[in-house]
Amino acid sequence: MSEPIIELVDLTKKYRLFTAVDHINLTVRKGEIFGFLGPNGAGKSTTILMMLGLTEPTEGSVRVCGIDPERQPLGVKRRVGYLPEDVGFYDNRDGVFNLIYTARLNSIPEDEAKTRALELLQLVGLEDAAQKNAGQYSRGMRQRLGLADVLIKNPEIAILDEPTSGIDPQGVKSFLNLILKLRDEHGLTVLFSSHNLHQVEEVCDRVAIFNSGKLQAVGDIEALSNQVFGESGHNLEEIYNCFFEGGTEQ
Amino acid sequence: MMNVNITAISQKRFNNNAKKSPYSMSLNRNKVQHPFWVMVSKEISDQVRSWRFIILVALIALTCLASVYTALTQFPKSAGAKSSEDIFFFLKLFTLSDGTLPSFTVFISFLGPLLGLSLGFDAINSEMNRGTLSRILSQPIYRDYIINAKFLAALSVVSFLFVTLGLLVVGAGLIFLGIPPTVDELWRVIFFVLLSIVYVAFWLNLSIFFSIIFRQSATSALAGIAVWIFFSIFYNMIIQLIAKGIAPQQIYSEQQAVNFQNFVLNLMRLNPSQLFSDATVTLLMPSVRSLGALTMAQVEGAIPTPLPLGQSLLMVWPQVTGLVAGTIVLFAISYYLFMRREVRSR
């Protein structure tokens, strides 16, 4: 469980005058469920994009599964499943087609892709909507289809950008359980950004708190509680508020 | 929904890793198709299934068949005239018109751009707006696969359409005229079809370019149509104005008149549809010996016979090169812009 799978060293991204990500150092270990927290525009998504090689860092380096995504983007993309914020699908095609298409882009043979797609649709509770066009899916259904889309390529790491937004409470519960189950049974590493502190607290082993491009704190809840309040036992909400509502106690 | 067994998936996971042998373009369902061809075939099926494609194909097929029909009805009248062009009887199917309906080539030069624009105007921006671009880009494919696949898919659809149309016209000619085309005529038709494909590819690339720089597909469609209308209606008017303005007060020599005429013609040739019509006229009317003005000295001693295919091709070579170059330049710009673009979720 201690083998590092994502390593960020002095990672920086500048857009002309604006620094979106400012010298971030972070290590995610294999089999961890890691939470990214922070207000909008704190640099979470930009960090994720750099991990995938979708945007180039200005400074610093990224290693995902020991590979540099800037040099070998395909190697990283083969091992990492990414669920973007507000994911979209081909609206004029049904759910199964969208999944099979992703599978075939990952060089999975068509027959196998089909059986896997149907299994995964069942897993995320969309078996009834499998033949429906993705255009008719609700936001929550799209998120679930997005999770199936991430899992169809058997990733080592799943990067989920606000995966639970738009899903009903019951759905969120099974979504989080599914994530835990995948981690326990397959050693999947999950990196997961969210604004819902309770969800993060429930499933994440460790969290990183971002603010205006800087990493404010990293660690498990206990460690953060000790760091902020000097004592354990505080929950994530109290810790988080400490950083963003006149957080001067540090 | 949690009760489904995940073990089945976990077994698949290891099976899958064992047989990873991509990079074969095979249609066998059990073998793995290279991701690029998966994308191309998906794009082709997207194009063919879309309503706008069906509407445009119907429009083009109908107008072209109508023009071939009028050409066929004109045949008895023109067949009487004994001229050197009679050897190339068959090619008249493409160029003959009775004055009410334009000929086949004119229709292609007018509607071809519309076809190219409609196939590409939402190529990239629709993927961005639907939020599919970032998802597809996080799959193990190179970024340029997306733009290459879109271009190749649209181009193959266009090629298929034009080859079919060309064959239909030739077939109609065979049935109604009863005269088979000569080898030379057949080659000319083949080159004409190729030229039409290049011409549509030019407009296709223009619309892909607009689809990259404009976020809204409506804007990019409008921009494309604006360029099309500018070149098909206003450009010639503007050139006429310029020609009037710079026309010499008095013509002192034949050479001067020819130079002036050629200068105006060259200005017209900045228009892609002018290049296309220059090239088609030369290819389909072998009696055309020059595309510009000639002095009397140059014409002197020329025998009024049709040009052989090689000579016609030589004459249109600059036009063809121009069209191909324009197509490549537009594609290169689009490619550059697309590769530089940062892709975020919508």
Side-chain angles (χ1 to χ4, degrees):
Chain A
M1 288 288 271
S2 59
E3 186 190 334
I5 195 158
I6 300 176
E7 288 173 288
L8 311 179
V9 180
D10 274 334
L11 193 65
T12 304
K13 177 73 185 178
K14 285 181 182 148
Y15 295 101
R16 291 194 186 158
L17 299 171
F18 173 67
T19 307
V21 175
D22 197 357
H23 293 94
I24 279 181
N25 290 287
L26 187 68
T27 305
V28 177
R29 292 191 285 263
K30 194 167 165 41
E32 232 179 355
I33 299 184
F34 197 93
F36 270 22
L37 289 175
N40 298 322
K44 294 171 301 199
S45 295
T46 310
T47 310
I48 290 174
L49 289 184
M50 285 190 281
M51 287 179 194
L52 287 163
L54 292 182
T55 184
E56 291 167 15
T58 317
E59 266 176 58
S61 75
V62 186
R63 282 278 179 288
V64 177
C65 305
I67 305 171
D68 182 355
E70 226 185 314
R71 305 248 167 151
Q72 287 174 278
L74 294 205
V76 171
K77 288 173 182 176
R78 217 167 271 141
R79 292 170 173 82
V80 180
Y82 171 51
L83 175 62
E85 195 182 340
D86 193 9
V87 63
F89 290 92
Y90 293 108
D91 290 345
N92 50 345
R93 305 299 190 116
D94 60 23
V96 185
F97 176 90
N98 274 290
L99 288 187
I100 292 177
Y101 185 53
T102 306
R104 296 186 65 201
L105 291 185
N106 283 281
S107 305
I108 296 173
E110 203 173 338
D111 294 339
E112 194 189 329
K114 194 159 190 185
T115 45
R116 283 179 56 75
L118 293 171
E119 280 168 11
L120 282 167
L121 280 170
Q122 221 164 28
L123 192 66
V124 296
L126 282 178
E127 63 270 32
D128 296 332
Q131 310 296 334
K132 248 200 217 172
N133 277 358
Q136 293 168 298
Y137 281 24
S138 67
R139 171 91 197 266
M141 286 162 87
R142 278 212 309 273
Q143 292 298 130
R144 290 176 193 211
L145 187 60
L147 186 67
D149 185 70
V150 165
L151 294 178
I152 202 164
K153 64 175 172 187
N154 278 318
E156 290 172 35
I157 305 172
I159 298 181
L160 314 175
D161 204 347
E162 300 196 25
T164 52
S165 60
I167 305 186
D168 52 83
Q170 200 57 41
V172 168
K173 212 175 157 197
S174 46
F175 193 101
L176 297 178
N177 281 334
L178 181 59
I179 289 177
L180 284 171
K181 198 165 186 173
L182 287 168
R183 191 271 304 266
D184 294 340
E185 292 180 11
H186 305 292
L188 181 73
T189 309
V190 181
L191 206 130
F192 147 42
S193 92
S194 178
H195 293 301
N196 189 320
L197 301 176
H198 293 293
Q199 288 169 16
V200 171
E201 191 164 13
E202 219 172 295
V203 294
C204 288
D205 302 314
R206 289 198 304 153
V207 296
I209 298 176
F210 284 74
N211 191 19
S212 48
K214 288 197 176 71
L215 205 56
Q216 298 287 342
V218 189
D220 55 30
I221 311 254
E222 282 295 291
L224 290 181
S225 176
N226 278 326
Q227 182 191 340
V228 177
F229 294 101
E231 58 184 30
S232 61
H234 289 274
N235 67 18
L236 188 58
E237 196 167 350
E238 291 169 320
I239 298 163
Y240 188 81
N241 287 341
C242 219
F243 282 109
F244 297 105
E245 284 170 13
T248 47
E249 292 172 49
Q250 199 173 359
Chain B
M1 77 190 212
M2 277 318 108
N3 302 336
V4 187
N5 67 332
I6 315 180
T7 44
I9 295 171
S10 78
Q11 280 159 5
K12 287 278 158 78
R13 179 189 181 107
F14 295 109
N15 294 343
N16 177 35
N17 288 345
K19 45 177 171 184
K20 243 178 199 160
S21 61
Y23 310 114
S24 60
M25 185 202 163
S26 160
L27 292 172
N28 189 335
R29 284 172 68 91
N30 296 320
K31 280 192 183 163
V32 179
Q33 214 177 357
H34 189 273
F36 181 67
W37 297 109
V38 174
M39 294 178 82
V40 171
S41 55
K42 185 229 159 223
E43 293 300 333
I44 290 179
S45 83
D46 268 358
Q47 293 286 15
V48 176
R49 287 158 55 110
S50 70
W51 271 108
R52 56 155 182 250
F53 178 73
I54 295 168
I55 291 169
L56 263 167
V57 168
L59 185 71
I60 289 175
L62 280 178
T63 46
C64 289
L65 291 180
S67 68
V68 170
Y69 174 75
T70 49
L72 282 171
T73 55
Q74 285 299 101
F75 257 98
K77 290 176 205 163
S78 66
K82 285 271 173 281
S83 75
S84 60
E85 272 182 47
D86 281 354
I87 315 164
F88 296 94
F89 197 66
F90 207 83
L91 294 178
K92 285 194 176 159
L93 267 180
F94 292 90
T95 52
L96 215 57
S97 128
D98 65 349
T100 52
L101 212 59
S103 67
F104 185 86
T105 54
V106 172
F107 266 126
I108 293 286
S109 85
F110 188 68
L111 291 177
L114 200 59
L115 179 70
L117 291 174
S118 78
L119 291 180
F121 75 91
D122 63 350
I124 302 297
N125 50 18
S126 74
E127 296 264 350
M128 283 196 140
N129 294 335
R130 278 184 300 196
T132 46
L133 193 57
S134 56
R135 193 170 59 83
I136 296 302
L137 276 178
S138 68
Q139 308 307 330
I141 53 159
Y142 292 107
R143 184 183 277 214
D144 60 344
Y145 279 12
I146 291 180
I147 186 166
N148 293 349
K150 296 243 176 215
F151 174 67
L152 196 63
L155 193 70
S156 42
V157 168
V158 168
S159 312
F160 182 77
L161 179 66
F162 278 7
V163 169
T164 313
L165 267 182
L167 288 177
L168 272 180
V169 174
V170 172
L174 273 175
I175 291 171
F176 291 106
L177 299 178
I179 306 167
T182 62
V183 175
D184 191 275
E185 280 174 322
L186 205 59
W187 275 113
R188 283 172 188 270
V189 172
I190 290 170
F191 280 116
F192 166 67
V193 168
L194 285 178
L195 189 73
S196 314
I197 293 169
V198 171
Y199 179 57
V200 174
F202 173 83
W203 291 95
L204 174 68
N205 274 326
L206 185 75
S207 68
I208 290 180
F209 169 69
F210 283 139
S211 87
I212 291 171
I213 57 176
F214 295 119
R215 281 304 282 263
Q216 299 297 324
S217 27
T219 318
S220 99
L222 261 175
I225 289 174
V227 174
W228 173 57
I229 289 180
F230 172 76
F231 276 125
S232 50
I233 298 175
F234 296 111
Y235 190 75
N236 282 4
M237 290 179 171
I238 293 169
I239 297 300
Q240 299 296 344
L241 268 179
I242 293 174
K244 247 183 215 162
I246 61 167
Q249 294 286 310
Q250 213 164 5
I251 293 167
Y252 296 104
S253 71
E254 193 185 38
Q255 189 61 45
Q256 191 191 9
V258 167
N259 283 349
F260 172 68
Q261 201 59 41
N262 281 338
F263 173 71
V264 173
L265 261 173
N266 280 336
L267 280 185
M268 301 262 256
R269 286 185 185 134
L270 293 176
N271 179 351
S273 67
Q274 180 68 35
L275 291 182
F276 177 71
S277 63
D278 274 5
T280 46
V281 160
T282 317
L283 277 176
L284 296 177
M285 295 181 176
S287 55
V288 172
R289 302 181 64 93
S290 159
L291 288 167
L294 295 175
T295 60
M296 280 311 281
Q298 282 171 309
V299 180
E300 210 174 62
I303 308 159
T305 51
L307 287 179
L309 177 62
Q311 293 301 312
S312 288
L313 278 179
L314 260 182
M315 204 157 84
V316 296
W317 202 243
Q319 273 79 356
V320 174
T321 316
L323 270 181
V324 172
T327 310
I328 291 173
V329 164
L330 275 175
F331 187 74
I333 297 172
S334 316
Y335 187 93
Y336 175 79
L337 287 177
F338 182 64
M339 296 303 275
R340 302 282 307 188
R341 167 71 60 90
E342 191 186 67
V343 177
R344 291 189 157 262
S345 47
R346 61 181 141 178

